[in-house]
Amino acid sequence: MTETTDSRDRSVAEHVRRYLATDGRDGYMEGGVTNLVLTTVGRKSGVRRRTGLFFGQDSDTYVLVASGSAYGAPLPDWYLNTVANPEVDVQILADRFKARARTTTGAERARLWMMMLAVAPAYRPYAATALQEIPIVVLERIR
């Protein structure tokens, strides 16, 4: 298996380390919100990259907010990687699975954005200051 690198952000890398070591018992609820571990393939490097993210659940899909794109910042690497390589690895608690990522649009995006504001109110300030639409991604489990 190809080596996987963790986020350059030390706090995120430490969160992922704790999550993986405990099958999510330490790290699933972080910041008062459910968290998962997402592994993408780098769009330029081809390197597997891992990060921890807040998520919501909508029926049988998992919802992510590319919040790093707020405040005029560039879109987060994990998001750009999912656009280039939509097949990802996900861990939620001890459940590890492959999923396909897709960016939502229109009414689906609007509905899921409102859902994620309820899940993680910390996203609310992003809506007021974002210079671009913040992407909402759904992960659909590959069966």
Side-chain angles (χ1 to χ4, degrees):
M1 177 181 270
T2 307
E3 184 177 339
T4 302
T5 62
D6 288 326
S7 173
R8 290 178 290 242
D9 181 317
R10 285 186 180 175
S11 67
V12 173
E14 173 60 20
H15 173 231
V16 167
R17 186 197 65 70
R18 288 185 289 109
Y19 197 110
L20 296 175
T22 65
D23 279 339
R25 288 184 306 279
D26 184 358
Y28 175 74
M29 286 302 294
E30 192 91 358
V33 181
T34 54
N35 284 248
L36 57 73
V37 174
L38 178 73
T39 304
T40 63
V41 174
R43 65 198 176 282
K44 296 177 186 173
S45 67
V47 171
R48 290 171 45 85
R49 303 198 181 274
R50 186 168 47 209
T51 193
L53 298 167
F54 290 167
F55 79 95
Q57 190 164 356
D58 183 52
S59 187
D60 60 349
T61 65
Y62 304 97
V63 182
L64 308 175
V65 177
S67 59
S69 61
Y71 305 112
L75 292 165
D77 286 336
W78 70 261
Y79 171 73
L80 295 171
N81 291 343
T82 66
V83 171
N85 301 302
E87 191 169 304
V88 298
D89 291 313
V90 180
Q91 181 172 339
I92 299 175
L93 293 168
D95 187 18
R96 295 172 176 87
F97 57 93
K98 293 208 173 291
R100 184 158 288 104
R102 69 175 173 80
T103 304
T104 61
T105 59
E108 180 187 33
R109 184 210 172 273
R111 179 180 64 78
L112 294 175
W113 172 248
M114 295 308 293
M115 181 193 89
M116 290 306 293
L117 287 177
V119 168
Y123 289 133
R124 193 166 299 283
Y126 295 135
T129 58
L131 301 178
Q132 58 191 335
E133 184 172 85
I134 298 169
I136 305 296
V137 174
V138 295
L139 303 176
E140 298 167 326
R141 188 183 288 256
I142 297 173
R143 307 249 177 231

